[in-house]
């Protein structure tokens, strides 16, 4: 693996050795296959960088919406960027993959790799299908660039798969260029990547990719060139590390709970050590979303397949700690309601897996909400962006119109996603609306002192809890009539 220092004037030597290469003469034209979070953002960002881009999606409804400049999901800044370039004519969308490939030189494969049903392995059907279709449709020289998150070894298999499909006289290369974008920050992360990983390039395809990424390279984005398996592994290892960091701090939160220490202060103190860093040390309900959970499971599965059992067992533990956080919050809610949530009204604030997105895939918040609903609680959910997506996945839960109506009459309030709307809410106003001002701050995000001042009992994890001695320790204890009477009289 070689790391190249960034160069603002990184020259792009024309190393393409074929005389007929269209890429020698003009800026590479780009096709993006798959227009989900990754593909739609990548396509718009490539247009912003000055390229002619065609986005391809098998779903004609998605193509129609994107062609109008409408983004079918919530991603700050993306609608504006997309509309600007649909209007400028640099960006268009189609369902006709062959047409898009015929007019392009660099083909980004950005389709999904969901978890397989009944297994931890990644489902590679879409990646294989898309890559095969691109290879078959190539009418002139070009580079197929895998961006999807795949298990190590996939790219080599894809290379072998497409070899017989490439037309006579066409020079095609398949390389891997993983994406590290975060939802909610997708535009920023794509326009200003903190690193560009290029796996399996030749001199020729590296030159093309340096031309594609000339803008971020010019402002200092480091380029790391490596082999295919390393590029594939960088992505999943990055996510596995982030997940491990979160589960680490959540495991420490458990120790803090037992010892009466404060995990937030501890994380701040740890974070001052530059080797550790403060980010991804927020203890609470743990991680969810469309990437971290599925990626660590796919890596767990692949590591075990390869006989690398240390990674597999480490990630198993990370996953277990993470899932345990959801159960912990469910238990906290049951405890706070004296042992039974049956017919008790619970306001759930937050449905998205994190703030600034409407994505509810593997959302810890909805997982907790649904579990309490199944135990007979009257759960009312509110989220600033994710109510429509949550309603689609969990139609049996009740959804409020706004924050106030969510908490009105609540016996218990749960803050499960750290939206600024909840952090900045006026606790005095909310206290007047609820039946019982007790809140489980599952993200340790509320200004606890202000809430307590306004009359709330704030239950946090990994934080010294003023009410701890009064709270029931077990369900049996919680249900005892003496205990209930004591607590009700509080
Ligand atoms: C992640 C990676 O960050 C990104 O680089 C990769 O390309 C895709 O996966 P994303 O899924 O958008 O991005 O979410 P991220 O911001 O990483 O958060 C993941 C989850 O971890 C969220 O549920 C969040 O609430 C949780 N989290 C994050 C914590 O519980 N504690 C923290 O300290 C940080």
């Amino acid at each position: 693996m070689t790391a190249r220092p960034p160069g603002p004037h990184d020259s792009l030597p024309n190393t393409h050795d074929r005389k007929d290469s269209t890429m020698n003469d003009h800026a590479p034209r780009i096709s993006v296959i798959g227009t989900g979070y990754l593909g739609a953002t990548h396509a718009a960002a490539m247009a912003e960088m000055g390229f002619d881009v065609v986005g391809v999606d098998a779903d004609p409804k998605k193509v129609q919406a994107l062609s109008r400049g409408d983004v079918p999901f919530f991603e700050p800044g993306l609608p504006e960027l997309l509309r600007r370039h649909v209007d400028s004519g640099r960006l268009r969308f189609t369902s006709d993959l062959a047409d898009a490939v015929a007019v392009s030189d660099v083909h980004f494969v950005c389709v999904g790799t969901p978890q397989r049903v009944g297994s931890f392995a990644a489902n590679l059907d879409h990646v294989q299908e898309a890559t095969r279709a691109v290879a078959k449709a190539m009418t002139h020289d070009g580079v197929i660039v895998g961006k999807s998150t795949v298990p190590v070894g996939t790219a080599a298999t894809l290379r072998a798969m497409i070899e017989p499909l490439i037309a006579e006289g066409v020079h095609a290369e398949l390389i891997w260029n993983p994406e590290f974008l975060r939802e909610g920050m997708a535009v920023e992360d794509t326009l200003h990547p903190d690193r560009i990983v290029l796996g399996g390039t030749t001199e020729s395809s590296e030159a093309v990719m340096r031309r594609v990424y000339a803008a971020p390279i010019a402002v200092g984005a480091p380029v790391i060139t490596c082999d295919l398996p390393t590029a594939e592994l960088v992505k999943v290892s990055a996510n596995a590390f982030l997940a491990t960091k979160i589960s680490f701090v959540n495991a420490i939160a458990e120790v803090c709970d037992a010892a009466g220490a404060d995990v937030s202060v501890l994380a701040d103190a740890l974070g001052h050590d530059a080797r550790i860093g403060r980010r991804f040390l927020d203890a609470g309900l743990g991680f969810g979303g469309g990437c971290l959970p599925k990626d660590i499971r796919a890596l767990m599965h692949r590591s075990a397949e390869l006989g690398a059992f240390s990674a597999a067992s480490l990630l198993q533990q990370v996953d277990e700690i993470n899932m345990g956080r959801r159960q912990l919050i469910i238990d906290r809610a049951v405890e706070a309601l004296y042992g039974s949530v049956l017919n008790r009204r619970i306001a759930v604030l937050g449905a998205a897996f994190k703030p600034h997105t409407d994505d509810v895939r593997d959302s810890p918040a909805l997982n907790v909400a649904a579990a309490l609903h199944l135990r007979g609680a009257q759960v009312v959910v509110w989220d600033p962006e994710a109510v429509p997506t949550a309603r689609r996945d969990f139609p049996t839960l009740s959804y409020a119109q706004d924050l106030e109506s969510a908490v009105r009459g609540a016996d218990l309030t749960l803050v499960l996603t750290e939206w600024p709307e909840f952090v900045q809410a006026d606790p005095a106003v909310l206290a007047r609306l609820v039946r019982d001002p007790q809140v489980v701050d599952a993200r340790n995000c509320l200004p606890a002192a202000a809430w307590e001042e306004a009359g709330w009992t704030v239950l946090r994890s990994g934080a010294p809890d003023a009410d701890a001695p009064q709270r029931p320790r077990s369900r049996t204890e919680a249900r005892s009539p003496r205990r209930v009477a004591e607590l009700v009289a509080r």
Side-chain angles (χ1 to χ4, degrees):
M1 186 168 84
T2 54
R4 288 161 191 267
H9 302 294
D10 251 26
S11 61
L12 302 173
N14 191 341
T15 51
H16 215 273
D17 50 12
R18 295 176 61 89
K19 289 211 168 54
D20 58 349
S21 168
T22 47
M23 281 186 284
N24 285 341
D25 316 321
H26 54 72
R29 299 159 305 181
I30 288 170
S31 75
V32 176
I33 322 300
T35 59
Y37 275 109
L38 168 59
T41 313
H42 189 68
M46 286 286 113
E48 173 76 1
M49 291 180 199
F51 299 100
D52 283 334
V53 184
V54 194
V56 183
D57 205 288
D59 178 355
K61 278 205 194 108
K62 221 186 237 181
V63 168
Q64 276 166 18
L66 291 166
S67 303
R68 287 192 306 268
D70 292 340
V71 181
F73 48 83
F74 176 75
E75 185 59 48
L78 184 56
E80 294 79 2
L81 194 68
L82 195 95
R83 269 178 220 137
R84 184 153 75 240
H85 293 296
V86 167
D87 290 348
S88 74
R90 282 218 289 270
L91 175 60
R92 69 181 173 92
F93 293 92
T94 179
S95 289
D96 189 339
L97 182 140
D99 171 64
V101 170
V103 299
S104 307
D105 312 300
V106 177
H107 315 286
F108 285 99
V109 176
C110 296
V111 293
T113 49
Q115 192 177 322
R116 261 191 198 291
V117 179
S119 158
F120 275 1
N123 181 341
L124 298 174
D125 294 352
H126 300 306
V127 171
Q128 285 170 352
E129 222 171 277
T131 310
R132 195 180 290 125
V134 170
K136 275 190 192 161
M138 283 175 75
T139 51
H140 59 277
D141 297 357
V143 186
I144 304 175
V145 186
K147 267 195 127 34
S148 306
T149 303
V150 291
V152 61
T154 303
T157 315
L158 293 175
R159 265 191 185 170
M161 182 189 81
I162 63 168
E163 211 186 300
L165 306 175
I166 304 292
E168 188 75 31
V170 171
H171 176 79
E173 278 189 39
L174 185 141
I175 65 158
W176 219 258
N177 168 223
E179 188 59 68
F180 303 97
L181 62 83
R182 295 160 296 172
E183 287 180 22
M185 295 293 287
V187 171
E188 171 66 17
D189 287 350
T190 310
L191 288 174
H192 306 290
D194 47 18
R195 75 282 214 192
I196 296 164
V197 176
L198 301 175
T201 46
T202 58
E203 211 181 321
S204 155
S205 53
E206 185 186 334
V208 173
M209 296 309 289
R210 282 178 172 269
R211 220 166 144 183
V212 167
Y213 288 119
I217 290 172
V219 291
V223 177
I224 294 131
T225 54
C226 53
D227 52 32
L228 282 176
T230 307
E232 292 168 317
L233 265 179
V234 169
K235 170 61 194 258
V236 282
S237 311
N239 279 355
F241 185 78
L242 294 172
T244 304
K245 212 172 165 188
I246 298 169
S247 280
F248 171 80
V249 78
N250 279 329
I252 295 296
E254 200 182 314
V255 183
C256 288
D257 263 340
D262 189 323
V263 73
S264 302
V265 178
L266 181 140
D268 288 344
L270 288 182
H272 285 296
D273 185 331
R275 293 169 304 173
I276 299 175
R278 177 63 180 82
R279 294 166 78 188
F280 277 70
L281 279 185
D282 290 325
L285 188 49
F287 59 82
C291 292
L292 258 48
K294 101 171 157 62
D295 289 354
I296 61 161
R297 288 173 193 159
L299 181 54
M300 214 187 285
H301 186 270
R302 188 71 182 124
S303 310
E305 256 178 12
L306 294 167
F309 296 113
S310 306
S313 66
L314 171 71
L315 294 172
Q316 171 83 30
Q317 201 54 36
V318 166
D319 202 4
E320 258 162 31
I321 293 168
N322 190 53
M323 297 312 279
R325 302 304 288 179
R326 301 177 187 192
Q327 190 57 48
L328 177 90
I329 297 301
I330 295 165
D331 292 345
R332 282 275 153 95
V334 174
E335 272 182 18
L337 291 171
Y338 319 133
S340 169
V341 297
L342 190 69
N343 259 331
R344 310 306 295 275
R345 192 177 160 102
I346 301 180
V348 164
L349 304 185
F353 81 98
K354 67 174 190 179
H356 311 292
T357 176
D358 65 355
D359 195 343
V360 297
R361 283 177 295 170
D362 200 357
S363 166
L366 277 182
N367 190 316
V368 169
L372 293 169
H373 168 74
L374 289 174
R375 288 175 187 218
Q378 298 168 25
V379 175
V380 182
V381 180
W382 163 245
D383 187 287
E385 288 297 336
V387 167
T389 41
R391 200 195 295 276
R392 212 171 49 212
D393 285 9
F394 290 85
T396 51
L397 293 174
S398 299
Y399 296 91
Q401 300 287 333
D402 51 35
L403 176 57
E404 286 74 21
S405 45
V407 301
R408 192 163 286 123
D411 296 300
L412 176 67
T413 300
L414 307 180
V415 176
L416 303 184
T417 312
E418 66 276 35
W419 281 97
E421 282 83 345
F422 308 149
V423 179
Q424 290 155 13
D426 184 340
V429 171
L430 300 183
R432 285 195 288 275
L433 295 173
V434 294
R435 186 179 300 152
D436 192 351
Q438 52 175 345
V439 61
V440 175
D441 179 6
R443 293 288 181 183
N444 289 346
C445 63
L446 299 179
W451 281 64
E452 278 161 3
E453 179 103 334
W456 288 84
T457 301
V458 181
L459 305 172
R460 295 189 291 156
S461 136
D465 180 352
D467 289 331
Q470 297 167 22
R471 282 198 290 122
R473 286 284 153 217
S474 69
R475 206 178 286 183
T476 327
E477 191 191 352
R479 284 212 180 105
S480 87
R482 189 184 60 81
R483 191 75 203 153
V484 171
E486 237 175 63
L487 288 160
V488 172
R490 204 158 33 117

mmCIF file of all heavy atoms in Angstrom, residues 55 88 103 110 114 185 224 269 271-272 275 290 306 310 313 323 386 411 421 424 433 436 443 447-448 456 475 477:
data_model
loop_
_atom_site.group_PDB
_atom_site.id
_atom_site.type_symbol
_atom_site.label_atom_id
_atom_site.label_comp_id
_atom_site.label_asym_id
_atom_site.label_seq_id
_atom_site.Cartn_x
_atom_site.Cartn_y
_atom_site.Cartn_z
ATOM 1 N N GLY A 55 -27.209 9.207 -13.788
ATOM 2 C CA GLY A 55 -27.548 8.292 -12.698
ATOM 3 C C GLY A 55 -28.500 7.227 -13.219
ATOM 4 O O GLY A 55 -29.438 7.543 -13.954
ATOM 5 N N SER A 88 -28.749 22.567 -14.600
ATOM 6 C CA SER A 88 -27.588 22.971 -15.418
ATOM 7 C C SER A 88 -27.378 22.016 -16.593
ATOM 8 O O SER A 88 -26.611 22.290 -17.503
ATOM 9 C CB SER A 88 -26.315 22.992 -14.561
ATOM 10 O OG SER A 88 -25.883 21.659 -14.294
ATOM 11 N N VAL A 103 -22.535 6.287 -22.999
ATOM 12 C CA VAL A 103 -22.076 7.685 -23.083
ATOM 13 C C VAL A 103 -21.109 8.055 -21.960
ATOM 14 O O VAL A 103 -20.796 9.223 -21.776
ATOM 15 C CB VAL A 103 -23.279 8.676 -23.077
ATOM 16 C CG1 VAL A 103 -24.187 8.444 -24.274
ATOM 17 C CG2 VAL A 103 -24.069 8.594 -21.775
ATOM 18 N N CYS A 110 -22.928 1.710 -7.226
ATOM 19 C CA CYS A 110 -23.320 2.210 -5.893
ATOM 20 C C CYS A 110 -24.578 1.513 -5.379
ATOM 21 O O CYS A 110 -25.359 2.105 -4.640
ATOM 22 C CB CYS A 110 -23.590 3.718 -5.972
ATOM 23 S SG CYS A 110 -22.157 4.700 -6.390
ATOM 24 N N PRO A 114 -27.457 -5.393 1.160
ATOM 25 C CA PRO A 114 -28.148 -5.620 2.436
ATOM 26 C C PRO A 114 -27.732 -6.937 3.081
ATOM 27 O O PRO A 114 -27.087 -7.771 2.443
ATOM 28 C CB PRO A 114 -29.627 -5.672 2.024
ATOM 29 C CG PRO A 114 -29.622 -6.043 0.579
ATOM 30 C CD PRO A 114 -28.349 -5.512 0.009
ATOM 31 N N MET A 185 -24.736 13.901 6.610
ATOM 32 C CA MET A 185 -23.537 14.682 6.255
ATOM 33 C C MET A 185 -23.061 14.229 4.883
ATOM 34 O O MET A 185 -21.905 14.446 4.511
ATOM 35 C CB MET A 185 -22.408 14.423 7.265
ATOM 36 C CG MET A 185 -22.663 14.884 8.659
ATOM 37 S SD MET A 185 -22.757 16.663 8.757
ATOM 38 C CE MET A 185 -21.028 17.066 8.550
ATOM 39 N N ILE A 224 -4.963 7.117 -1.121
ATOM 40 C CA ILE A 224 -4.288 5.887 -0.702
ATOM 41 C C ILE A 224 -4.528 4.844 -1.780
ATOM 42 O O ILE A 224 -5.678 4.479 -2.041
ATOM 43 C CB ILE A 224 -4.820 5.386 0.650
ATOM 44 C CG1 ILE A 224 -4.449 6.382 1.746
ATOM 45 C CG2 ILE A 224 -4.232 4.019 1.008
ATOM 46 C CD1 ILE A 224 -5.551 6.774 2.616
ATOM 47 N N ALA A 269 -12.998 13.342 29.320
ATOM 48 C CA ALA A 269 -11.612 13.236 29.789
ATOM 49 C C ALA A 269 -10.798 12.306 28.884
ATOM 50 O O ALA A 269 -9.668 12.624 28.520
ATOM 51 C CB ALA A 269 -11.587 12.748 31.234
ATOM 52 N N GLY A 271 -11.381 11.715 25.788
ATOM 53 C CA GLY A 271 -11.295 12.329 24.463
ATOM 54 C C GLY A 271 -10.155 13.316 24.321
ATOM 55 O O GLY A 271 -9.700 13.584 23.203
ATOM 56 N N HIS A 272 -9.696 13.870 25.442
ATOM 57 C CA HIS A 272 -8.566 14.812 25.355
ATOM 58 C C HIS A 272 -7.274 14.110 24.962
ATOM 59 O O HIS A 272 -6.313 14.761 24.554
ATOM 60 C CB HIS A 272 -8.376 15.553 26.686
ATOM 61 C CG HIS A 272 -9.428 16.599 26.890
ATOM 62 N ND1 HIS A 272 -9.561 17.691 26.068
ATOM 63 C CD2 HIS A 272 -10.432 16.696 27.792
ATOM 64 C CE1 HIS A 272 -10.580 18.423 26.464
ATOM 65 N NE2 HIS A 272 -11.140 17.840 27.506
ATOM 66 N N ARG A 275 -4.848 10.228 21.064
ATOM 67 C CA ARG A 275 -4.834 8.863 20.540
ATOM 68 C C ARG A 275 -6.226 8.237 20.602
ATOM 69 O O ARG A 275 -6.533 7.308 19.877
ATOM 70 C CB ARG A 275 -3.866 7.983 21.353
ATOM 71 C CG ARG A 275 -2.415 8.373 21.184
ATOM 72 C CD ARG A 275 -1.569 7.654 22.209
ATOM 73 N NE ARG A 275 -2.062 7.921 23.572
ATOM 74 C CZ ARG A 275 -1.600 7.316 24.653
ATOM 75 N NH1 ARG A 275 -0.652 6.407 24.561
ATOM 76 N NH2 ARG A 275 -2.073 7.624 25.849
ATOM 77 N N GLY A 290 -28.386 1.827 8.545
ATOM 78 C CA GLY A 290 -28.260 0.894 7.431
ATOM 79 C C GLY A 290 -26.847 0.370 7.241
ATOM 80 O O GLY A 290 -26.629 -0.505 6.397
ATOM 81 N N LEU A 306 -13.008 -16.944 6.780
ATOM 82 C CA LEU A 306 -11.574 -16.947 6.469
ATOM 83 C C LEU A 306 -10.743 -17.560 7.596
ATOM 84 O O LEU A 306 -9.522 -17.597 7.514
ATOM 85 C CB LEU A 306 -11.099 -15.508 6.200
ATOM 86 C CG LEU A 306 -11.675 -14.831 4.940
ATOM 87 C CD1 LEU A 306 -11.386 -13.341 4.945
ATOM 88 C CD2 LEU A 306 -11.107 -15.476 3.676
ATOM 89 N N SER A 310 -10.479 -14.173 15.772
ATOM 90 C CA SER A 310 -10.381 -13.088 16.757
ATOM 91 C C SER A 310 -11.294 -11.947 16.367
ATOM 92 O O SER A 310 -12.039 -11.410 17.194
ATOM 93 C CB SER A 310 -8.954 -12.559 16.848
ATOM 94 O OG SER A 310 -8.081 -13.604 17.092
ATOM 95 N N SER A 313 -14.962 -12.941 16.901
ATOM 96 C CA SER A 313 -15.483 -12.957 18.270
ATOM 97 C C SER A 313 -15.499 -11.557 18.875
ATOM 98 O O SER A 313 -16.403 -11.217 19.632
ATOM 99 C CB SER A 313 -14.732 -13.964 19.146
ATOM 100 O OG SER A 313 -13.414 -13.541 19.310
ATOM 101 N N MET A 323 -26.754 -4.458 21.259
ATOM 102 C CA MET A 323 -28.156 -4.872 21.366
ATOM 103 C C MET A 323 -28.629 -4.832 22.817
ATOM 104 O O MET A 323 -29.788 -4.551 23.103
ATOM 105 C CB MET A 323 -28.363 -6.270 20.765
ATOM 106 C CG MET A 323 -28.070 -6.353 19.273
ATOM 107 S SD MET A 323 -28.829 -5.059 18.281
ATOM 108 C CE MET A 323 -30.483 -5.690 18.112
ATOM 109 N N ALA A 386 -38.664 11.716 10.793
ATOM 110 C CA ALA A 386 -38.806 10.292 10.442
ATOM 111 C C ALA A 386 -40.198 9.712 10.698
ATOM 112 O O ALA A 386 -40.362 8.497 10.612
ATOM 113 C CB ALA A 386 -37.749 9.481 11.188
ATOM 114 N N ASP A 411 -47.088 9.176 30.973
ATOM 115 C CA ASP A 411 -46.625 8.683 32.273
ATOM 116 C C ASP A 411 -45.106 8.607 32.282
ATOM 117 O O ASP A 411 -44.485 8.560 33.339
ATOM 118 C CB ASP A 411 -47.176 7.275 32.518
ATOM 119 C CG ASP A 411 -48.691 7.287 32.626
ATOM 120 O OD1 ASP A 411 -49.207 7.980 33.522
ATOM 121 O OD2 ASP A 411 -49.355 6.640 31.797
ATOM 122 N N GLU A 421 -34.117 19.467 18.528
ATOM 123 C CA GLU A 421 -35.470 19.855 18.953
ATOM 124 C C GLU A 421 -35.774 19.360 20.365
ATOM 125 O O GLU A 421 -36.531 19.992 21.102
ATOM 126 C CB GLU A 421 -36.521 19.271 17.996
ATOM 127 C CG GLU A 421 -36.674 20.011 16.694
ATOM 128 C CD GLU A 421 -35.633 19.599 15.640
ATOM 129 O OE1 GLU A 421 -34.618 18.958 15.997
ATOM 130 O OE2 GLU A 421 -35.830 19.947 14.468
ATOM 131 N N GLN A 424 -33.087 21.109 22.944
ATOM 132 C CA GLN A 424 -33.349 22.530 23.196
ATOM 133 C C GLN A 424 -34.770 22.801 23.673
ATOM 134 O O GLN A 424 -35.151 23.947 23.888
ATOM 135 C CB GLN A 424 -33.094 23.328 21.908
ATOM 136 C CG GLN A 424 -31.628 23.393 21.539
ATOM 137 C CD GLN A 424 -31.403 23.616 20.047
ATOM 138 O OE1 GLN A 424 -32.327 23.958 19.319
ATOM 139 N NE2 GLN A 424 -30.180 23.403 19.605
ATOM 140 N N LEU A 433 -47.266 19.529 30.548
ATOM 141 C CA LEU A 433 -48.121 18.734 29.652
ATOM 142 C C LEU A 433 -48.218 17.261 30.061
ATOM 143 O O LEU A 433 -49.215 16.593 29.810
ATOM 144 C CB LEU A 433 -47.568 18.806 28.219
ATOM 145 C CG LEU A 433 -47.591 20.190 27.565
ATOM 146 C CD1 LEU A 433 -46.849 20.133 26.227
ATOM 147 C CD2 LEU A 433 -49.021 20.645 27.344
ATOM 148 N N ASP A 436 -46.735 12.541 34.349
ATOM 149 C CA ASP A 436 -45.664 12.318 35.321
ATOM 150 C C ASP A 436 -44.351 12.793 34.691
ATOM 151 O O ASP A 436 -43.944 12.253 33.655
ATOM 152 C CB ASP A 436 -45.612 10.813 35.657
ATOM 153 C CG ASP A 436 -44.731 10.544 36.865
ATOM 154 O OD1 ASP A 436 -44.037 11.485 37.318
ATOM 155 O OD2 ASP A 436 -44.711 9.406 37.337
ATOM 156 N N ARG A 443 -29.963 8.943 25.356
ATOM 157 C CA ARG A 443 -28.780 9.395 24.602
ATOM 158 C C ARG A 443 -27.886 10.306 25.436
ATOM 159 O O ARG A 443 -26.973 10.941 24.889
ATOM 160 C CB ARG A 443 -29.227 10.121 23.323
ATOM 161 C CG ARG A 443 -29.915 9.219 22.300
ATOM 162 C CD ARG A 443 -28.922 8.292 21.650
ATOM 163 N NE ARG A 443 -29.537 7.429 20.649
ATOM 164 C CZ ARG A 443 -28.863 6.481 19.992
ATOM 165 N NH1 ARG A 443 -27.585 6.285 20.221
ATOM 166 N NH2 ARG A 443 -29.466 5.713 19.127
ATOM 167 N N PRO A 447 -29.929 18.620 28.878
ATOM 168 C CA PRO A 447 -29.299 19.361 29.981
ATOM 169 C C PRO A 447 -30.019 18.971 31.283
ATOM 170 O O PRO A 447 -31.041 19.573 31.647
ATOM 171 C CB PRO A 447 -29.536 20.835 29.588
ATOM 172 C CG PRO A 447 -30.642 20.826 28.584
ATOM 173 C CD PRO A 447 -30.783 19.458 28.017
ATOM 174 N N ALA A 448 -29.477 17.961 31.943
ATOM 175 C CA ALA A 448 -30.191 17.321 33.058
ATOM 176 C C ALA A 448 -30.551 18.319 34.160
ATOM 177 O O ALA A 448 -31.656 18.274 34.709
ATOM 178 C CB ALA A 448 -29.355 16.178 33.607
ATOM 179 N N TRP A 456 -38.480 17.632 36.542
ATOM 180 C CA TRP A 456 -38.389 16.295 35.954
ATOM 181 C C TRP A 456 -37.471 15.389 36.772
ATOM 182 O O TRP A 456 -36.491 15.855 37.356
ATOM 183 C CB TRP A 456 -37.811 16.372 34.535
ATOM 184 C CG TRP A 456 -38.722 16.955 33.519
ATOM 185 C CD1 TRP A 456 -38.913 18.282 33.258
ATOM 186 C CD2 TRP A 456 -39.555 16.235 32.600
ATOM 187 N NE1 TRP A 456 -39.822 18.437 32.241
ATOM 188 C CE2 TRP A 456 -40.237 17.184 31.814
ATOM 189 C CE3 TRP A 456 -39.808 14.877 32.369
ATOM 190 C CZ2 TRP A 456 -41.135 16.833 30.818
ATOM 191 C CZ3 TRP A 456 -40.693 14.513 31.379
ATOM 192 C CH2 TRP A 456 -41.359 15.494 30.614
ATOM 193 N N ARG A 475 -37.860 -6.499 38.860
ATOM 194 C CA ARG A 475 -39.267 -6.425 38.509
ATOM 195 C C ARG A 475 -40.143 -6.881 39.677
ATOM 196 O O ARG A 475 -41.195 -6.332 39.933
ATOM 197 C CB ARG A 475 -39.522 -7.289 37.277
ATOM 198 C CG ARG A 475 -40.711 -6.779 36.546
ATOM 199 C CD ARG A 475 -40.943 -7.572 35.329
ATOM 200 N NE ARG A 475 -39.966 -7.265 34.306
ATOM 201 C CZ ARG A 475 -40.005 -7.815 33.099
ATOM 202 N NH1 ARG A 475 -40.930 -8.682 32.815
ATOM 203 N NH2 ARG A 475 -39.118 -7.498 32.203
ATOM 204 N N GLU A 477 -39.462 -6.665 42.851
ATOM 205 C CA GLU A 477 -39.475 -5.581 43.816
ATOM 206 C C GLU A 477 -40.373 -4.453 43.310
ATOM 207 O O GLU A 477 -41.149 -3.862 44.048
ATOM 208 C CB GLU A 477 -38.042 -5.073 44.007
ATOM 209 C CG GLU A 477 -37.884 -4.138 45.179
ATOM 210 C CD GLU A 477 -36.525 -3.451 45.191
ATOM 211 O OE1 GLU A 477 -35.647 -3.823 44.372
ATOM 212 O OE2 GLU A 477 -36.362 -2.544 45.997
#
